[in-house]
Amino acid sequence: MIPRAALVLRPEPGAAATLARLAAAGIRATAVPLFRIAPVAWSRPAGTFDALLLTSANALRHGGDALDAVRDLPVVAVGAATARAAGDAGFAVVATGMSDAAGAIAAAAAWPRLLHLAGRERVAMRGVTAVTVYAADPLALPDGALAAAVDGVVLLHSPRAAARFAALSQGLPRDRIRIAALSDAVARAAGTGWARIAVAPHPDDAALAAVAASLAIDP
């Protein structure tokens, strides 16, 4: 039986990494990014902080020279991939949450004053100071760009991407589309009515690609 094809909606450079993981699993995949990530000028806000909260490697990719002003702070990361990116960028990672931002914060009780290097669209977190480092701007899609989702598997990496896909796919038969979601929050944002929906056991791309491959292979 030929596996179902997959549709990757995350921006570059992440999309290429996901495509490579799916190809290694024998899954044909196409990338149709819904957003373009762009840096936002920022500076370290006033105040005393114990650590940085990183919920995405995009903060490191697009943080620019202003990252030098926070290199004295250790990192609390969400997901192994973000932790690896922080380490590669020269930061000391002191805690890694393997579920979501709330889990990371709970794991970082010894570092209560957190500075979140965040995207422009984000969920406010009690007791956390956030500064916008990057923005994800919606991309216009050509007609029929999401048609490959039908009878395939769609990988959703964020609640915002899930909500936008749900809106853009109006008119497509949901009962013929399988969803692989990075987290429970992403799955909730996608809504209901899909043929199947599965959540990655950890919030990282490798786990999500494995779940998507399973959905693609299962009858």
Side-chain angles (χ1 to χ4, degrees), residues 12 14 31 40 43 50 63 75 104 114 122 131 138 142 147 192:
E12 293 293 0
V40 172
S43 61
D50 299 311
V75 165
L114 296 175
R122 59 181 177 267
V131 58
T192 59

Side-chain angles (χ1 to χ4, degrees), residues 7-211:
L7 187 62
V8 176
L9 304 181
R10 72 187 304 202
E12 293 293 0
T18 305
L19 291 176
R21 287 190 170 98
L22 292 169
I27 307 301
R28 294 178 297 110
T30 303
V32 181
L34 298 184
F35 301 96
R36 178 181 64 87
I37 306 298
V40 172
W42 69 284
S43 61
R44 179 171 175 161
T48 301
F49 303 103
D50 299 311
L52 297 177
L53 174 64
L54 298 181
T55 53
S56 170
N58 282 321
L60 299 166
R61 295 189 188 108
H62 300 281
D65 293 340
L67 288 173
D68 291 338
V70 295
R71 289 192 182 278
D72 60 308
L73 297 174
V75 165
V76 174
V78 176
T82 302
R84 285 193 299 271
D88 291 344
F91 288 90
V93 179
V94 293
T96 303
M98 297 307 295
S99 56
D100 53 20
I105 293 170
W111 299 271
R113 295 171 297 186
L114 296 175
L115 174 60
H116 184 196
L117 303 189
R120 185 178 59 205
E121 286 76 26
R122 59 181 177 267
V123 176
M125 290 175 280
R126 184 186 299 272
V128 175
T129 300
V131 58
T132 299
V133 172
Y134 64 93
D137 297 318
L139 290 171
L141 302 184
D143 292 342
L146 300 178
V150 179
D151 296 324
V153 180
V154 178
L155 286 79
L156 298 176
H157 283 79
S158 71
R160 191 172 176 222
R164 188 165 189 232
F165 173 70
L168 291 174
S169 62
Q170 296 293 329
L172 296 180
R174 286 195 174 195
D175 59 352
R176 292 172 57 187
I177 298 173
R178 298 184 177 191
I179 299 292
L182 187 70
S183 67
D184 289 331
V186 174
R188 288 193 297 271
T192 59
W194 309 104
R196 288 178 61 182
I197 188 163
V199 177
H202 306 293
D204 62 61
D205 187 57
L208 180 61
V211 166

